[in-house]
Amino acid sequence: EKLLVVGENGIGKTTLLRLIMGYLKPLEGNIEITEKTDIAYYAQEHEILEPNKTILENFANFGLADYEIRRMLGSFLFSGDDIYKKVEVLSPGERSRVALAKVALKGANTLLLDEPTNHLDPMTQVIIADTFKTFEGTMLVVSHNLDFVDNLGISRMLLLPSGKIVYYDRDIVYHYEMINEEIERK
């Protein structure tokens, strides 16, 4: 199932994903992850990247041949000698694409995507959504980009802070976010 996490800024969407990853400990209650759950996490801060290595070197521990990595990187708009650039010199959008490629290549059955379209131009957003659209595992997505969300094929939404889960409806997200923007302005 693909689930969109919806809530105003500062309500805890990123915190929820970090709790699931075990980066934070809950103040009360438990988060239980089964042994069969393999999670890949895309963080806004690109924590999974090694900046002092090249794009290609960031995929060294995946156990894939160079041509397999190059094929995947091609679907994330990297070609030719681009893969030999150090991550530290890449633009924020390029770093986002490298991090998303790492998430896609991990082979996890659960994806946590925290604002994956930040720093990406509209055409790249469509390409990235197409890459993840066919993902058949569980996906939790934090995004304010409704076009991207629509392209992913989101089925339901987790509304924060209520914790209610409802079927995905673009109009609900739009109105929910408009209400929250109005509250923030006051």
Side-chain angles (χ1 to χ4, degrees):
E1 181 166 26
K2 295 177 183 175
L3 192 74
L4 175 66
V5 182
V6 179
E8 65 184 86
N9 289 336
I11 200 67
K13 299 179 298 288
T14 296
T15 300
L16 174 63
L17 299 185
R18 294 180 67 76
L19 283 162
I20 292 168
M21 287 302 298
Y23 298 160
L24 301 172
K25 298 293 179 208
L27 297 175
E28 47 183 82
N30 296 310
I31 295 175
E32 295 183 26
I33 309 292
T34 69
E35 292 178 14
K36 294 182 181 180
T37 303
D38 183 19
I39 301 174
Y41 177 48
Y42 173 84
Q44 295 180 51
E45 298 81 22
H46 307 134
E47 299 161 0
I48 60 175
L49 298 181
E50 297 178 62
N52 58 334
K53 293 186 176 181
T54 66
I55 294 172
L56 185 61
E57 289 169 341
N58 265 268
F59 294 86
N61 63 347
F62 280 75
L64 299 171
D66 280 0
Y67 76 90
E68 293 172 300
I69 296 168
R70 282 177 173 275
R71 184 176 9 189
M72 176 56 83
L73 287 170
S75 68
F76 284 85
L77 308 175
F78 291 104
S79 61
D81 289 341
D82 288 346
I83 64 170
Y84 300 112
K85 290 181 183 176
K86 291 221 180 220
V87 169
E88 63 193 1
V89 303
L90 300 177
S91 71
E94 290 170 322
R95 283 194 298 273
S96 293
R97 294 188 344 246
V98 174
L100 286 164
K102 284 186 87 165
V103 166
L105 264 178
K106 186 174 185 228
N109 57 21
T110 302
L111 302 181
L112 306 181
L113 305 178
D114 191 3
E115 298 287 358
T117 59
N118 285 357
H119 310 296
L120 299 179
D121 64 80
M123 187 53 151
T124 302
Q125 292 172 19
V126 170
I127 292 167
I128 300 302
D130 284 346
T131 300
F132 288 105
K133 180 184 260 181
T134 58
F135 179 73
E136 295 180 1
T138 300
M139 186 183 297
L140 269 73
V141 180
V142 173
S143 179
H144 298 282
N145 183 328
L146 297 182
D147 291 332
F148 176 77
V149 169
D150 287 344
N151 287 338
L152 281 178
I154 295 290
S155 54
R156 297 197 296 166
M157 305 180 296
L158 168 63
L159 302 176
L160 296 179
S162 72
K164 290 183 181 179
I165 296 177
V166 299
Y167 286 101
Y168 174 71
D169 183 328
R170 183 183 179 115
D171 290 335
I172 291 174
V173 177
Y174 177 76
H175 291 297
Y176 194 85
E177 295 202 351
M178 292 299 288
I179 290 167
N180 288 323
E181 284 178 22
E182 184 65 30
I183 290 169
E184 286 180 18
R185 278 194 291 256
K186 291 181 179 180

